[in-house]
Amino acid sequence: SQTIHQWPATLVQPVGSPLSLECTVEGTSNPNLYWYRQAAGRGLQLLFYSVGIGQISSEVPQNLSASRPQDRQFILSSKKLLLSDSGFYLCAWSVSGDEQFFGPGTRLTVL
Amino acid sequence: GENVEQHPSTLSVQEGDSAVIKCTYSDSASNYFPWYKQELGKRPQLIIDIRSNVGEKKDQRIAVTLNKTAKHFSLHITETQPEDSAVYFCAASSGQGGKLIFGQGTELSVKP
């Protein structure tokens, strides 16, 4: 069966520091991968999605970037974090292009 | 682009009553409509979905209806239980890369 992992589970970072969040999927090949951000417990906002290695589509202009170096690995990065980057970051995968399944998330606090 | 509106933002019901959450979407090309349940501090979990070629789908105590003409869809929970308490999200997708656009969520509270 398919499994999705995210790490770290929680992270506290100072403003201006870099960020790297990782997501990996097991048990499937060539999934679509997604990064969402959820602020204040509501409203999932799509940040990036990828339909294949090296293929990244950005949905919202921001100081974040994403990369997909391997088929089942998706990375969210920032060179300099802002206070507004705090939130719950969720990775999701899909094979059919419809049903999406979420990872456990990373709770990021920027101080 | 697609926009999804969800109502109400909060809903409180007595155990055993029914709960209805409604969503409207703007893009007539959208053809896939999932519903997610998110408990506090946890990931969203897919509970039911519907595609544009059907008008209604049921799974035990939950059902979803879709009106393509009016561009709205609804989640119905019957015989609510305290464990149904959570935030529920609707979403819509037009299939392009599988992008889901989410509503703002409904916080459902079921009082015993």
Side-chain angles (χ1 to χ4, degrees):
Chain A
S1 62
Q2 299 86 359
T3 309
I4 180 169
H5 303 279
Q6 285 187 246
W7 62 88
T10 59
L11 190 60
V12 180
Q13 291 285 93
V15 170
S17 63
L19 174 74
S20 181
L21 303 181
E22 190 165 343
C23 169
T24 58
V25 180
E26 297 177 354
T28 187
S29 297
N30 196 31
N32 290 352
L33 296 173
Y34 310 85
W35 278 111
Y36 292 87
R37 178 169 60 200
Q38 185 175 38
R42 296 285 192 101
L44 292 103
Q45 180 186 39
L46 179 63
L47 302 176
F48 301 94
Y49 72 96
S50 171
V51 298
I53 296 174
Q55 301 178 59
I56 309 294
S57 296
S58 174
E59 290 298 300
V60 181
Q62 59 216 322
N63 70 323
L64 299 171
S65 62
S67 61
R68 186 169 176 175
Q70 300 180 41
D71 180 45
R72 290 169 286 179
Q73 183 185 31
F74 205 22
I75 297 172
L76 183 69
S77 304
S78 174
K79 292 182 179 178
K80 290 185 177 181
L81 284 168
L82 306 173
L83 285 173
S84 57
D85 290 324
S86 293
F88 191 37
Y89 287 82
L90 290 154
C91 180
W93 68 272
S94 172
V95 173
S96 66
D98 284 341
E99 297 172 333
Q100 289 188 23
F101 301 94
F102 288 87
T106 294
R107 196 163 300 281
L108 171 67
T109 303
V110 182
L111 301 175
Chain B
E2 175 67 278
N3 183 53
V4 178
E5 298 286 337
Q6 183 172 346
H7 300 280
S9 58
T10 60
L11 179 60
S12 182
V13 300
Q14 289 295 128
E15 183 177 0
D17 288 350
S18 295
V20 180
I21 303 170
K22 299 182 179 181
C23 290
T24 59
Y25 61 98
S26 60
D27 187 354
S28 56
S30 289
N31 55 14
Y32 175 67
F33 307 91
W35 286 87
Y36 287 83
K37 175 184 180 182
Q38 187 177 28
E39 297 176 346
L40 189 62
K42 303 263 184 86
R43 75 186 85 182
Q45 299 272 12
L46 178 66
I47 57 171
I48 196 169
D49 57 14
I50 191 168
R51 290 173 172 78
S52 59
N53 57 347
V54 298
E56 184 176 5
K57 183 177 179 180
K58 290 182 180 180
D59 183 3
Q60 298 181 0
R61 296 188 296 109
I62 60 173
V64 57
T65 58
L66 171 65
N67 183 325
K68 287 188 294 182
T69 302
K71 290 191 282 189
H72 67 69
F73 56 112
S74 301
L75 177 71
H76 304 253
I77 306 174
T78 58
E79 300 173 24
T80 53
Q81 302 167 2
E83 51 265 39
D84 293 330
S85 297
V87 178
Y88 290 81
F89 292 95
C90 64
S93 170
S94 62
Q96 183 186 2
K99 294 190 299 181
L100 285 178
I101 305 301
F102 283 83
Q104 287 304 298
T106 296
E107 185 173 2
L108 173 64
S109 175
V110 180
K111 300 185 184 304

